[in-house]
Amino acid sequence: MARSRFRTDRGLSLRMGGVSFGLGALYILFGAVLFAFMGNGVLALVIVLAIAWGQWYFSDTLALKSMNAQIVEPHQAPELHAMIDRLCALADMPKPRVAIAVTDMPNAFATGRTPNHSAVCVTTGIMQRLDADELEGVLAHELSHVANRDVTVMTVASSIGLLAGFITRWGVYFGGMFGGGNRDRDNNGGPAFIVVFLVSLLVYAVSFVLIRGLSRYRELSADRSGAYMTGRPSKLSSALVKISGDMSRIPNSDLRESQAMSAFFFAPAINRESIGALFSTHPPLQQRLDQLAKVSAELSEQG
């Protein structure tokens, strides 16, 4: 966990450690499959490390570009910057870059490999729908992701799925380049590709489970951390209700375009009535509201 004034969460730390261990095992498995398929250990290692490093190092840039978000300076969004300045001072953490995505979908997300190399993005849709206190609660939620570094683990966890797809798509090509002569390719290319394809499916399935296991808990953890930091859990609850209610009014085409970022959003980019809700990366809305009600009762007792 990062050292900040956000409340520490042992459960989150344990889950992050477990997911990191699982990811390490998956990368080792991919490296072994590449080595067996290519017959070139050095090249297999380079490919695995290059993709993993690229996803980690450029995660913030890729995420912002996927939403067509633009970095804004204080003079361009003074109120937004002022909120983040205040929260970063309260949390004793570095200020991330601030970005705005022009879309009616009400949402926000944090991205980045470390607290010193991170960004917080809000959409114009969420800025239009929430009042200042509600938006501050959402921003506190997102900043806790950065401070706790769970956004980094989520980024790497998501990248393994891309790696699985990469291997499946280019398996035959690499087999042709590094599998030897034509006879070897004719005799072994088919079975080798089937093995690679099956391993890719297995890796994707395991990464899916790892991401869901972490993502739902980390959202609850961020809700708690943000509520304690601002001292106004009711405002975060209000923001959740508004955003979840309005999500059903967003065109399905817009929601589909944002699916790649759904795991990182403050609220999932799905209609609650859709089958996608069954596989949501976020906990049920009522569970989040019940938790915030408990935080509110606790703060009232302390006050």
Side-chain angles (χ1 to χ4, degrees):
M1 299 284 282
R3 293 182 179 178
S4 76
R5 295 192 182 120
F6 280 108
R7 289 200 174 194
T8 58
D9 190 324
R10 181 173 176 79
L12 179 61
S13 297
L14 291 174
R15 283 168 173 77
M16 287 169 60
V19 170
S20 298
F21 178 83
L23 290 174
L26 288 180
Y27 274 108
I28 291 174
L29 174 62
F30 254 92
V33 171
L34 278 173
F35 174 74
F37 192 56
M38 296 179 180
N40 188 326
V42 174
L43 182 60
L45 180 62
V46 169
I47 289 176
V48 171
L49 292 180
I51 293 178
W53 179 84
Q55 284 295 116
W56 175 77
Y57 191 84
F58 296 107
S59 60
D60 53 345
T61 301
L62 293 173
L64 294 176
K65 284 187 176 180
S66 71
M67 292 295 296
N68 294 318
Q70 299 294 324
I71 298 296
V72 293
E73 301 300 330
H75 69 274
Q76 296 173 297
E79 294 181 1
L80 182 60
H81 271 271
M83 288 184 190
I84 294 179
D85 285 335
R86 175 179 176 275
L87 290 169
C88 288
L90 286 173
D92 191 23
M93 64 179 289
K95 181 183 178 181
R97 292 182 297 163
V98 180
I100 294 177
V102 181
T103 172
D104 189 48
M105 182 181 65
N107 235 313
F109 67 91
T111 183
R113 59 188 187 275
T114 67
N116 289 315
H117 298 87
S118 61
V120 170
C121 177
V122 297
T123 67
T124 51
I126 200 173
M127 295 175 69
Q128 292 166 356
R129 288 171 172 83
L130 303 186
D131 64 32
D133 289 337
E134 292 168 339
L135 183 57
E136 185 177 65
V138 172
L139 293 173
H141 169 107
E142 296 303 332
L143 288 172
S144 73
H145 285 315
V146 176
N148 294 334
R149 299 177 186 267
D150 57 83
V151 69
T152 304
V153 179
M154 280 292 294
T155 298
V156 178
S158 299
S159 70
I160 193 68
L162 296 178
L163 183 57
F166 173 83
I167 297 301
T168 302
R169 181 175 180 180
W170 296 103
V172 174
Y173 173 74
F174 284 127
M177 289 182 63
F178 304 106
N182 292 333
R183 181 175 299 176
D184 291 337
R185 290 200 303 271
D186 293 339
N187 294 334
N188 301 321
F193 176 73
I194 292 174
V195 170
V196 171
F197 179 75
L198 292 176
V199 170
S200 298
L201 288 179
L202 173 63
V203 169
Y204 180 81
V206 174
S207 66
F208 181 91
V209 173
L210 289 174
I211 290 173
R212 265 58 183 179
L214 174 61
S215 64
R216 295 186 182 187
Y217 186 90
R218 84 183 190 110
E219 294 303 328
L220 292 172
S221 178
D223 283 345
R224 287 193 298 270
S225 296
Y228 282 122
M229 180 59 64
T230 62
R232 293 189 293 269
S234 62
K235 289 298 183 179
L236 187 54
S237 295
S238 177
L240 276 168
V241 171
K242 283 185 179 180
I243 293 172
S244 298
D246 282 358
M247 200 66 72
S248 62
R249 301 185 180 94
I250 304 301
N252 287 329
S253 58
D254 292 345
L255 295 177
R256 284 194 296 269
E257 290 177 0
S258 303
Q259 281 302 301
M261 287 297 298
S262 187
F264 297 88
F265 284 150
F266 172 69
I270 58 173
N271 291 327
R272 284 176 292 176
E273 296 80 8
S274 70
I275 191 171
L278 298 175
F279 305 100
S280 176
T281 53
H282 294 60
L285 173 63
Q286 192 58 51
Q287 184 180 3
R288 298 176 75 174
L289 296 178
D290 290 344
Q291 176 185 246
L292 289 171
K294 292 180 181 179
V295 173
S296 182
E298 180 183 334
L299 291 175
S300 296
E301 291 176 0
Q302 293 175 356

